[in-house]
Amino acid sequence: MTEPAVLPKDPCADFASAEGRAHFARSLDCVHCGLCLPVCPTYQLTGNEASSPRGRIYMMRAVADGRISAEPGSTYDNELHFCLVCRACETVCPSGVQMEALVEHARCEMNKKTGPPSRARRFLLRTVLPDRKWLRRAADATAIYSKTPIGKILRKLGIVDWLFPGATAREALMPHVPKREHRRDLPALLPPVGEKRGRVAFQEGCVASQLLQDINEATVRVLTRNGWEVSLWKNPSCCGALHAHAGDLEFARELAKKNIEEFEKTKADFFILNSAGCGSHIKNYARLLEVETGWLHRAKEIAAKTRDIGEFLVETGYKPRNGPRALRVAYDEPCHLVHGQRVSAQPKQLLQSIPGLQLVPLAGATDCCGAAGLYSLERTTDSMAILDGKMQQIRASGCEVLATGNPGCILQYRLGARRAGMNLQIMHPIQLLDEG
Amino acid sequence: MAHSTPVPTSHADPVVQELVAALGENSVAADRDTLLAYECDGLALYKQRPRMVIWPNSTEQVSAAVRILHRFGVPIVPRGAGTGLSGGATPVENGALIQLSRMKRILDVNPTDRMARVEMGVINADLSAHVARFGLAYAPDPSSQTACTLGGNVAENAGGPHCYKYGATSLHVLSLKVVLSNGNITELGSPDADPIGYDLRTLFIGSEGTLGIATEAWVRLIPKPEIVETWLAPFASMDAACKAVSSIVASGIQPAAIEILDDRTIAAIEASVFAAGYPLDAAAVLLVEVDGAPIEVGRDGERIRGICQQFGALNIQFARDEDERKRLWKGRKGAFGAMGRVAPDLYVMDCVVPRSKLPAALDAIREICDRYKVRNANVFHAGDGNLHPNISYDGRDADETKRVLAAGEEIVKMCVALGGTLSGEHGIGIEKNIYMPLVFGAGELDAFANLRRAFDPDGLMNPGKVMPAALCGEIAGAMKR
Ligand SMILES: Cc1cc2nc3c(=O)[nH]c(=O)nc-3n(C[C@H](O)[C@H](O)[C@H](O)COP(=O)(O)OP(=O)(O)OC[C@H]3O[C@@H](n4cnc5c(N)ncnc54)[C@H](O)[C@@H]3O)c2cc1C
Ligand code: SF4
Ligand code: SF4
């Protein structure tokens, strides 16, 4: 593809503007073949091409060419936000269309027209997620809200909905918040067990640090048991993927730079993530920072050292698990692992190496679960429609445990199991490998 | 439909109002952006916004919609997945699109009699995947099979690499449920026996949405072959590759597929996600597949290899296991999209010449494209002389687009002059309707027009497609008289 050499500084220069066309050039890869239609979860729901990758790109092009205007509230706007950024279309697209990049950019541009985001949204994205202190407060508040009478009173007074419009209606989505002692920060440096093979950096993640710390503990246990010294930093506590997807490219860039600096300080050989979404985003830092002078090579370097935990263990070799786990396990492939990072065989290989574990086939394993970052909060009906379809396939697989490697998906499936009344354990593959 | 996406609808249009009342709010759209997204199908050269888009979820809903449109005299264009490459599903001015994307149920599988009843929005590859558990498959395998619908396949009489042995769609559809242009529902053919009297089922297959809308069908399934072997033979010249094909066919072997890709296609594939390890230094590669019982396959495979060697093929690759086969096919199946890397737009042509004329036709295509300064690459079903010249271009460049169209026209005329015809499998649509008089005389065209009128007296079904607009105008004129 012929891409102009000079990219604009403005993270979301208008598609139609002279400099925005450089971003827009990515959409020109689309040859309108339609091969992406059937894999798109939103097209599967509606059968409407405006909700398909091809349709979305077509509308973006029309905006760039000035054939339509990108008004907030238009179908174009709606379809931009209906997209899950699951990237399933990228896997099947023979022309190498970069849907994620296109949607992030188009959303960024749309945000400028829609005006400033709601108080709650801005607070969540810019204050809570990047800061461990705030994350902890938010988790504490959620626990108090859902487990004590205070919540009831606030709800009755309407304060909750005033702060977070529509929040009480979404209470069923609220995840279980573990007790405080189960969400302690990990130490900044963890020594390897036995001979040291090298040092890796690890990030606990924003949501996961509060809700899924047991998975983080299992991850570092496996890493240290395999001879890796593990180095961590607290802040920024978030990679910025949620920001980029929401079109807040400016802040996403800031977070990316800070994370790069922190990573460089650790002097680690690798950067390990157990969250598919974070891994995928960090591997994309170079795209995010391509126009920032002095950052491109640093972004490329961190990307080259970034590995998903499953990818890493298979690549570098690992001690197999000793104790058997006689479980029927289905593996669901997180979008941002299989489509975002093209990592598919390794997690299955890990699972298969566990004595006694039976890996059962799962239809639709590479389809999105509907979690998609903030999507399940913002487009709950669509998200649940997608989730309920997935739960049927999971039920049909006859598994006892569903293994998947992304915090958002794990929380979504726990919700799905509750909704479907299923007695199903949802785990990260690393927890199955871990013997701690 | 369980989704919250509002489909804003322009209720100013009385036809839309009635459609919404009959089918529901979520089944019709007429807003600016949705209509825009439907401007074209797989052939992006021609664009036209529809008046509305309709998504029925049953035969009855198709019929109800058609009745309303018929009453208001609104032209109708059926649409499946919109992967068609001749503009068959391109909207017509002021016309409705009826898309069958929500009718994707596999209604019945009868493994004993090897047939299945399916809705026409079922995706081709989904059917084969669904019946694989019975050791069965649906034979026609267009390269777009992961996306295109069975309805679109029926309308285009779609073929695929393996149709060289198994035959195109028409040999695999037993009966059709069809909604006619006045909304009446009718059955064509029967799953139980060959039809008595006029075989309207075969007439309908390949009619490109001009005779009605197919909503359901009984289709034939075939047992999956015991074993499959695939050979990839690189040649130093296109001529040698084509001669090898002729020699294979003449030897009496019945391969399941014989495909040729030229050097420019190979280069595009190897630069894309479909990189399959095809040799970049070959002038052409030949992809041959044989299937059946082990003894037969072993013997034919050896003979094919011998013939290829005789014509100078070097480093022949061979695949028997599923993964290796998939790799060898991956490039071929992805050739179209890989061309998308070359320029923003792609024009995929489809024409046929007698097999013996393949080298001459290919030389001519290259000469024509070079003369018009357009970028061309070729891939084709060599077994039946079905060429797919691909031309990459930038649709925003008006001059280049004009040159593409001019080159296309010369290529079509050249194929006809060599004793070939307009289309092997992509259909006529709006791309080639003006060329119909090149291959048919006035008498034949007249017979076509009469036939079409018998099904669609008001000229509402996909008007302007297949037959030149001028002829359709004559039909309208004749009707007035
Ligand atoms: C990458 C690529 C590869 C391809 N390879 C092949 C190939 O190998 N062989 C081949 O034959 N084609 C091929 N095609 C062309 C195309 O996929 C086929 O023509 C296919 O049959 C179209 O199916 P569709 O569902 O997309 O139909 P559409 O494009 O939506 O429609 C095609 C035509 O069928 C009509 N139609 C659709 N549904 C119905 C219905 N239910 N009732 C009546 N009329 C209907 C439409 O009006 C239109 O005229 C390829 C296309 C692409 C993009
Ligand atoms: S598969 Fe790729 S090239 Fe084809 S329509 Fe989809 S995005 Fe465009
Ligand atoms: S990213 Fe996912 S939801 Fe968005 S267009 Fe692609 S396949 Fe559809």
Side-chain angles (χ1 to χ4, degrees):
Chain A
M1 214 23 267
T2 42
E3 250 179 66
V6 189
L7 284 155
K9 267 272 190 196
D10 178 356
C12 54
D14 220 286
F15 269 170
S17 75
E19 41 167 24
R21 295 194 72 83
H23 287 298
F24 156 74
R26 287 197 169 95
S27 77
L28 297 181
D29 284 343
C30 175
V31 291
H32 218 257
C33 66
L35 294 185
C36 53
L37 265 55
V39 301
C40 175
T42 56
Y43 179 75
Q44 284 171 11
L45 278 183
T46 64
N48 178 347
E49 284 199 25
S51 342
S52 80
R54 175 168 77 171
R56 293 189 173 113
I57 296 171
Y58 199 81
M59 289 188 279
M60 289 179 203
R61 273 201 207 186
V63 168
D65 289 339
R67 297 177 62 209
I68 59 169
S69 55
E71 296 133 23
S74 61
T75 298
Y76 171 63
D77 180 19
N78 183 40
E79 291 302 344
L80 271 185
H81 292 92
F82 189 21
C83 170
L84 296 135
V85 201
C86 69
R87 304 178 72 179
C89 48
E90 295 187 23
T91 295
V92 299
C93 174
S95 302
V97 159
Q98 299 177 34
M99 195 65 186
E100 183 181 54
L102 284 166
V103 173
E104 284 175 358
H105 187 85
R107 284 184 182 171
C108 186
E109 194 185 322
M110 184 59 83
N111 287 349
K112 286 193 291 192
K113 299 197 173 168
T114 318
S118 71
R119 279 181 303 275
R121 191 187 167 94
R122 198 184 153 85
F123 177 66
L124 177 69
L125 282 173
R126 291 219 170 181
T127 309
V128 179
L129 295 180
D131 189 339
R132 190 66 61 73
K133 184 172 79 239
W134 272 105
L135 282 165
R136 186 177 311 284
R137 285 180 192 156
D140 289 344
T142 311
I144 292 170
Y145 178 79
S146 54
K147 285 173 195 156
T148 70
I150 298 177
K152 255 191 214 144
I153 299 167
L154 290 175
R155 242 166 294 168
K156 280 242 173 75
L157 292 173
I159 292 178
V160 178
D161 278 323
W162 179 76
L163 274 172
F164 306 101
T168 52
R170 291 180 173 72
E171 258 167 34
L173 304 178
M174 229 182 231
H176 164 76
V177 181
K179 291 210 181 84
R180 250 198 140 157
E181 64 261 33
H182 295 309
R183 45 189 168 93
R184 268 190 224 121
D185 287 346
L186 293 170
L189 195 70
L190 289 132
V193 177
E195 202 184 322
K196 175 170 159 180
R197 289 168 74 190
R199 177 186 292 174
V200 300
F202 175 68
Q203 197 175 34
E204 294 157 84
C206 49
V207 176
S209 72
Q210 300 308 311
L211 300 181
L212 301 169
Q213 194 63 348
D214 51 340
I215 296 176
N216 287 333
E217 282 162 9
T219 307
V220 293
R221 257 197 308 273
V222 171
L223 284 169
T224 50
R225 185 167 108 88
N226 281 289
W228 299 100
E229 182 180 52
V230 183
S231 174
L232 300 97
W233 64 89
K234 250 189 215 134
N235 285 330
S237 52
C238 174
C239 65
L242 291 172
H243 307 78
H245 280 187
D248 189 352
L249 291 175
E250 193 189 330
F251 198 69
R253 283 180 178 182
E254 255 175 59
L255 283 178
K257 287 187 210 163
K258 284 190 188 146
N259 277 311
I260 291 173
E261 279 167 352
E262 291 301 327
F263 175 72
E264 287 170 352
K265 276 189 227 155
T266 65
K267 301 207 169 12
D269 309 313
F270 294 98
F271 186 13
I272 309 302
L273 284 306
N274 61 9
S275 152
C278 308
S280 166
H281 183 64
I282 294 161
K283 287 180 179 177
N284 273 336
Y285 272 179
R287 189 190 78 215
L288 197 64
L289 297 176
E290 62 197 342
V291 294
E292 303 260 334
T293 344
W295 283 95
L296 185 60
H297 70 281
R298 293 169 78 179
K300 278 189 178 155
E301 179 145 347
I302 194 173
K305 289 181 174 173
T306 299
R307 300 282 187 285
D308 174 73
I309 179 72
E311 177 188 22
F312 178 68
L313 291 175
V314 169
E315 179 183 324
T316 55
Y318 63 99
K319 292 190 189 132
R321 197 189 137 92
N322 296 320
R325 279 198 194 268
L327 290 169
R328 264 193 329 278
V329 178
Y331 174 64
D332 186 68
E333 314 206 19
C335 296
H336 286 233
L337 202 53
V338 58
H339 305 305
Q341 302 181 52
R342 308 284 155 102
V343 171
S344 173
Q346 297 92 321
K348 286 179 256 187
Q349 217 171 310
L350 282 189
L351 290 170
Q352 264 159 339
S353 74
I354 297 170
L357 186 148
Q358 187 199 348
L359 198 59
V360 298
L362 172 64
T366 58
D367 295 349
C368 182
C369 65
L374 300 177
Y375 193 91
S376 57
L377 293 175
E378 298 187 330
R379 296 188 71 106
T380 309
T381 314
D382 297 324
S383 171
M384 293 304 116
I386 293 167
L387 175 62
D388 293 344
K390 289 283 297 197
M391 293 319 294
Q392 281 173 18
Q393 290 171 316
I394 292 167
R395 194 192 286 275
S397 78
C399 66
E400 299 164 271
V401 173
L402 180 73
T404 191
N406 188 55
C409 310
I410 291 172
L411 295 172
Q412 174 90 339
Y413 283 127
R414 290 190 179 159
L415 173 67
R418 278 210 306 277
R419 283 165 64 91
M422 282 164 72
N423 182 16
L424 178 73
Q425 272 203 73
I426 292 109
M427 295 174 83
H428 192 293
I430 204 73
Q431 290 177 292
L432 288 158
L433 189 71
D434 172 43
E435 343 209 15
Chain B
M1 278 285 118
H3 63 91
S4 69
T5 311
V7 180
T9 298
S10 155
H11 289 280
D13 185 337
V15 187
V16 171
Q17 280 170 14
E18 282 213 29
L19 288 165
V20 167
L23 274 70
E25 189 78 41
N26 255 327
S27 304
V28 189
D31 64 286
R32 182 198 69 183
D33 300 355
T34 306
L35 298 183
L36 178 99
Y38 277 96
E39 254 182 2
C40 48
D41 59 6
L43 175 73
L45 268 168
Y46 304 94
K47 298 180 168 70
Q48 169 67 52
R49 276 181 225 190
R51 177 162 164 188
M52 73 250 331
V53 187
I54 306 165
W55 300 278
N57 56 32
S58 66
T59 302
E60 289 65 36
Q61 284 205 340
V62 173
S63 160
V66 171
R67 263 182 223 291
I68 294 169
L69 297 166
H70 181 251
R71 186 151 41 79
F72 282 97
V74 177
I76 300 167
V77 179
R79 185 163 171 128
T83 66
L85 294 169
S86 57
T90 306
V92 299
E93 203 179 337
N94 258 318
L97 275 184
I98 298 189
Q99 189 178 27
L100 269 62
S101 49
R102 292 183 187 170
M103 293 180 61
K104 49 184 180 186
R105 284 160 288 229
I106 296 171
L107 301 166
D108 199 355
V109 179
N110 179 340
T112 326
D113 295 332
R114 289 189 196 144
M115 53 192 204
R117 189 160 70 94
V118 289
E119 288 186 332
M120 289 288 88
V122 168
I123 290 163
N124 176 301
D126 286 356
L127 177 58
S128 283
H130 185 84
V131 299
R133 73 187 90 159
F134 304 111
L136 298 171
Y138 178 68
D141 61 339
S143 304
S144 53
Q145 69 183 136
T146 53
C148 62
T149 67
L150 294 173
N153 293 170
V154 165
E156 299 288 6
N157 189 19
H162 291 85
C163 293
Y164 178 62
K165 176 169 178 178
Y166 295 102
T169 304
S170 60
L171 290 183
H172 301 272
V173 173
L174 300 164
S175 73
L176 287 165
K177 189 182 267 184
V178 170
V179 174
L180 298 171
S181 70
N182 58 5
N184 287 353
I185 301 170
T186 181
E187 285 275 347
L188 307 179
S190 139
D192 308 315
D194 268 344
I196 310 167
Y198 299 112
D199 185 358
L200 297 179
R201 169 205 54 171
T202 344
L203 172 66
F204 190 93
I205 298 171
S207 64
E208 303 191 24
T210 62
L211 303 185
I213 304 179
T215 58
E216 249 182 63
W218 275 103
V219 298
R220 198 192 300 277
L221 303 172
I222 58 159
K224 284 217 254 181
E226 274 179 74
I227 64 163
V228 184
E229 272 184 13
T230 308
W231 299 82
L232 184 88
F235 288 88
S237 78
M238 180 57 81
D239 197 44
C242 292
K243 286 201 171 114
V245 169
S246 291
S247 181
I248 290 168
V249 174
S251 75
I253 302 170
Q254 177 60 272
I258 316 187
E259 305 281 305
I260 292 182
L261 296 84
D262 74 357
D263 47 1
R264 300 179 196 180
T265 307
I266 298 168
I269 290 170
E270 292 304 316
S272 78
V273 290
F274 284 88
Y278 290 1
L280 284 163
D281 54 354
V285 296
L286 176 62
L287 195 60
V288 192
E289 190 157 282
V290 274
D291 65 10
I295 308 181
E296 196 191 322
V297 169
R299 183 199 57 208
D300 288 352
E302 275 314 307
R303 282 171 68 196
I304 286 168
R305 190 175 62 167
I307 293 171
C308 290
Q309 279 167 341
Q310 186 192 325
F311 287 95
L314 301 162
N315 297 323
I316 301 176
Q317 297 183 47
F318 162 76
R320 182 177 266 173
D321 77 65
E322 197 53 30
D323 283 348
E324 262 300 291
R325 273 190 57 231
K326 276 211 179 114
R327 182 182 69 80
L328 291 186
W329 273 106
K330 190 174 156 199
R332 167 61 187 91
K333 295 246 165 189
F336 166 91
M339 294 296 297
R341 297 242 147 151
V342 180
D345 296 284
L346 179 63
Y347 179 30
V348 184
M349 297 189 63
D350 167 48
C351 40
V352 181
V353 295
R355 206 166 36 234
S356 59
K357 298 281 170 52
L358 277 171
L362 284 157
D363 282 344
I365 291 168
R366 288 194 170 203
E367 185 276 318
I368 292 167
C369 290
D370 289 347
R371 184 150 40 79
Y372 282 99
K373 298 198 177 52
V374 291
R375 287 159 288 181
N376 154 257
N378 298 286
V379 31
F380 49 102
H381 312 305
D384 12 66
N386 185 352
L387 289 157
H388 289 314
N390 292 319
I391 306 181
S392 317
Y393 68 103
D394 186 340
R396 295 166 304 168
D397 180 339
D399 180 61
E400 190 179 18
T401 310
K402 231 188 274 162
R403 282 183 279 123
V404 169
L405 287 168
E409 179 170 349
E410 265 198 47
I411 290 172
V412 170
K413 290 187 171 153
M414 176 272 299
C415 289
V416 172
L418 284 176
T421 191
L422 302 179
S423 164
E425 53 188 23
H426 295 170
I428 302 298
I430 44 175
E431 178 203 10
K432 295 194 183 126
N433 53 7
I434 49 166
Y435 305 131
M436 289 290 271
L438 288 181
V439 277
F440 296 108
E444 288 157 310
L445 290 172
D446 210 36
F448 287 165
N450 283 331
L451 186 76
R452 190 160 166 176
R453 198 165 359 158
F455 275 82
D456 176 24
D458 304 308
L460 292 179
M461 290 305 306
N462 223 353
K465 311 291 175 70
V466 185
M467 305 281 280
L471 274 178
C472 291
E474 279 166 30
I475 299 172
M479 265 162 37
K480 277 199 196 107
R481 279 201 296 278

